[in-house]
Amino acid sequence: MRVLGIETSCDETGVAVLDDGTILANLIASQVDLHERFGGVVPELASRAHVEALMPVLDAALEDAGAGFGSLDGIAVTVGPGLVGALLVGIAAAKSIALATGAPLVGVNHLEGHILANVIEHGPDLAPAVCLVVSGGHTMLVHMPQALRYELLGQTLDDAAGEAFDKVARFLGLGFPGGPALDRLAQQGDPHAIAFPRAMADSGDFDFSLSGLKTAVLRHVKAERDAGREVDPADLAASFQEAIVDVQVAKTVEAARDRRVETILLGGGVVANTRLRERMEKAGAEAGFRVLFPALDLCTDNGAMIAVAGSWRLGRGERTPLDVGADPSMGLA
Ligand code: KG4
Ligand code: ZN
């Protein structure tokens, strides 16, 4: 089955062609430069940029894949969660292609896409599993008892992990989005230099809270400066990152034990984080779990993950009507 995947939920225009699980093309037009000077994604600018980028990216992806519209067996598109205007650009394009080619349309949940990105690298036998989904907009622990079934175990009560990375990176002058730059800087620092709080580490549930950590970082820097001391940015980055990773790793392993699964899946942009991958692999190995995460370039938003999720749903006979709308706050479970 050959499936086109379209992703426009935030600031990446992603288009992929997937043939029986093999990626024939996976192209992304990033809007980072556009939003950088605002220090965050500006929704209206994002929608307009998707309108401009989508057709050229689509053409290039089909050319890359050596595929014509007529060869597509299905059109998968992100329908939520995300920015409503941005989502609508992808949805309108997907509907048009479905209508013109007669290929079925399938709406995909962006979060499911992040989880199923693992299929590309690790094959279809993932469930039962516990999944940690960490991105710019989400931080959640999900139980997947069988393929395409989800039970929400817990989530952040305030900021998402990627949001925390981006905010602290901005404070450190690392640009936007700051996650990757903070990751690089942290590799030169001591993760135990500063003891930042591990919020909700002992809360006895699977929820997270990240906004206090950002405040703790700001407070620490101010206190040190007031005392006439300079803070080493690499130590700060490493210690901040460690505080996030510590809680995420501990709660994920705990959730996997609680649900008696053997597999831990990671998905979302923050899974590109070097330390999170390292620590989760180590903790998983020690506790006897199989820990899986997508290849680096499939962690952040892309069309391939949408094509995979779409092909699974199409394979089960699912079809989405052509009058489907965007669902900006779509949940997984
Ligand atoms: O999944 P994603 O591409 O978009 C959303 O669905 O939100 O995730 C983007 C987030 C951003 O906050 C970005 O800073 C973060 O993932 N990120 C990272 C790294 N690479 C991307 N955070 C920490 N370390 C990284 N290496
Ligand atoms: Zn995402």
Side-chain angles (χ1 to χ4, degrees):
M1 183 163 45
R2 182 171 289 182
V3 177
L4 183 74
I6 300 178
E7 154 62 37
T8 64
S9 70
C10 191
D11 60 345
E12 320 273 3
T13 314
V15 179
V17 181
L18 195 84
D19 199 304
D20 285 337
T22 303
I23 299 178
L24 298 185
N26 185 28
L27 295 185
I28 292 161
S30 174
Q31 304 177 5
V32 164
D33 297 349
L34 182 66
H35 301 290
E36 190 166 18
R37 65 194 167 107
F38 302 104
V41 177
V42 183
E44 186 54 29
L45 291 181
S47 316
R48 289 173 197 216
H50 283 306
V51 170
E52 282 171 22
L54 190 52
M55 284 309 157
V57 175
L58 179 63
D59 281 342
L62 288 173
E63 197 183 321
D64 245 31
F69 280 115
S71 72
L72 301 171
D73 300 308
I75 315 298
V77 63
T78 309
V79 291
L83 303 168
V84 63
L87 287 164
L88 284 172
V89 177
I91 294 172
K95 285 178 184 177
S96 313
I97 299 166
L99 193 63
T101 60
L105 177 75
V106 63
V108 171
N109 183 313
H110 182 84
L111 303 170
E112 178 169 83
H114 275 309
I115 293 172
L116 295 185
N118 281 290
V119 173
I120 298 168
E121 193 113 334
H122 309 293
D125 295 325
L126 303 176
V130 156
C131 324
L132 174 70
V133 182
V134 273
S135 68
H138 292 85
T139 293
M140 51 172 67
L141 270 168
V142 177
H143 176 214
M144 182 169 80
Q146 61 191 78
L148 307 181
R149 295 230 176 260
Y150 307 99
E151 172 203 5
L152 181 66
L153 300 176
Q155 59 186 329
T156 181
L157 305 178
D158 37 62
D159 289 356
E163 195 180 348
F165 268 99
D166 293 340
K167 284 178 177 168
V168 170
R170 190 178 177 190
F171 171 69
L172 288 171
L174 298 176
F176 168 85
L182 196 145
D183 183 349
R184 281 192 296 277
L185 179 62
Q187 287 170 35
Q188 281 130 50
D190 173 7
H192 308 294
I194 309 156
F196 285 125
R198 267 63 173 161
M200 299 187 69
D202 303 313
S203 60
D205 56 25
F206 299 120
D207 286 334
F208 301 88
S209 170
L210 288 153
S211 66
L213 181 55
K214 171 193 65 200
T215 315
V217 170
L218 304 191
R219 268 214 209 102
H220 176 81
V221 172
K222 185 173 184 310
E224 289 296 291
R225 281 190 185 146
D226 288 352
R229 291 186 293 264
E230 261 314 307
V231 183
D232 177 15
D235 282 349
L236 191 76
S239 301
F240 156 78
Q241 178 177 271
E242 199 71 0
I244 291 197
V245 169
D246 255 359
V247 181
Q248 286 182 355
V249 169
K251 290 209 175 199
T252 305
V253 169
E254 195 46 45
R257 276 202 193 102
D258 187 76
R259 284 301 184 268
R260 300 175 193 282
V261 297
E262 287 172 7
T263 303
I264 290 174
L265 296 178
L266 308 185
V270 180
V271 180
N273 185 266
T274 316
R275 189 69 175 162
L276 178 61
R277 293 165 87 94
E278 228 172 66
R279 292 276 316 275
M280 195 66 96
E281 263 195 326
K282 186 162 178 282
E286 281 168 9
F289 295 109
R290 171 173 80 137
V291 176
L292 304 178
F293 36 72
L296 266 185
D297 60 330
L298 295 178
C299 289
T300 42
D301 293 350
N302 63 84
M305 68 186 204
I306 303 306
V308 177
S311 65
W312 274 38
R313 294 213 165 259
L314 286 167
R316 296 203 329 176
E318 280 186 35
R319 302 288 183 267
T320 300
L322 286 178
D323 62 355
V324 66
D327 186 351
S329 52
M330 193 175 198
L332 191 54

